[in-house]
């Protein structure tokens, strides 16, 4: 990945972090929306979604608000009956995995499919998984300290649900 592509990915990561900060300030069901049966949409996951950002968003019942439209990465904010989240698609598997590994340094929950990721509250992602499939990965934020480099052990912080 060239320097320009890495900068684009890092810029997009900063946008996602900001979007998450905004999303975390509101309750997902503040407008009376959410899982009426208490299951939070945790039914068996759907067959994994594929396609463009717009195709995946449509399957999630989201009208995407495009925030980043670059060759390597496309990103949109979504709001559905389940809550708010960020949806991103990637041009390559490598770019996808590098983005996820970098994002995990900030902690949070990620619904991960092939060449796409949704970022948001764990309950929102559990409901979204019923429409998009994929695997939920969670990470604890890495604290910046004197020995901040852990040798790339992001995998130690992920879990499938």
């Amino acid at each position: 990945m060239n320097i320009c592509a890495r900068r684009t990915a890092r810029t997009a990561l900063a946008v996602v972090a900001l979007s998450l900060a905004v999303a975390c300030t509101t309750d997902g069901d503040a407008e009376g929306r959410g899982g009426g049966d208490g299951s939070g949409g945790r039914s068996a996951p759907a067959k994994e979604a594929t396609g463009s950002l717009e195709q995946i968003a449509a399957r999630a019942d989201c009208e995407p608000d495009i925030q980043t439209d670059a060759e390597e990465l496309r990103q949109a904010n979504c709001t559905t009956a389940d809550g708010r989240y960020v949806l991103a698609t990637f041009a390559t598997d490598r770019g996808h995995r590098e983005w996820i590994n970098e994002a995990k340094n900030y902690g949070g929950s990620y619904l991960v499919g092939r060449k796409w990721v949704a970022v948001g509250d764990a309950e929102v992602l559990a409901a979204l998984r019923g429409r998009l499939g994929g695997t939920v990965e969670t990470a604890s934020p890495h604290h910046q300290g004197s020995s901040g480099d852990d040798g790339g052990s992001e995998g130690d912080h992920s879990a499938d649900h």
Side-chain angles (χ1 to χ4, degrees), residues 22-150:
V22 172
C24 290
T25 63
T26 61
D27 187 4
D29 59 1
E31 296 176 13
R33 298 180 288 191
D37 63 359
S39 70
R42 292 187 185 103
S43 58
K47 180 179 176 190
E48 189 172 292
T50 59
S52 69
L53 180 98
E54 289 82 2
Q55 290 168 326
I56 294 169
R59 185 164 162 183
D61 202 23
C62 158
E63 174 120 8
D65 178 13
I66 304 293
Q67 301 296 309
T68 304
D69 194 3
E71 184 177 327
E72 291 289 319
L73 168 83
R74 297 189 72 221
Q75 175 183 308
N77 292 330
C78 285
T79 302
T80 66
D82 299 313
R84 297 184 339 168
Y85 57 93
V86 176
L87 182 62
T89 57
F90 303 85
T92 65
D93 290 321
R94 180 178 175 188
H96 176 242
R97 184 44 52 190
E98 286 177 354
W99 186 94
I100 291 169
N101 289 343
E102 183 71 24
K104 283 185 176 182
N105 288 323
Y106 298 92
S109 297
Y110 306 86
L111 179 60
V112 180
R114 184 165 184 269
K115 293 188 182 179
W116 61 266
V117 64
V119 184
D121 186 61
E123 291 80 25
V124 173
L125 298 182
L128 192 58
R129 186 175 183 224
R131 291 190 210 120
L132 298 181
T135 303
V136 176
E137 298 182 19
T138 57
S140 298
H142 292 246
H143 298 286
Q144 300 294 330
S146 59
S147 61
D149 185 8
D150 63 4

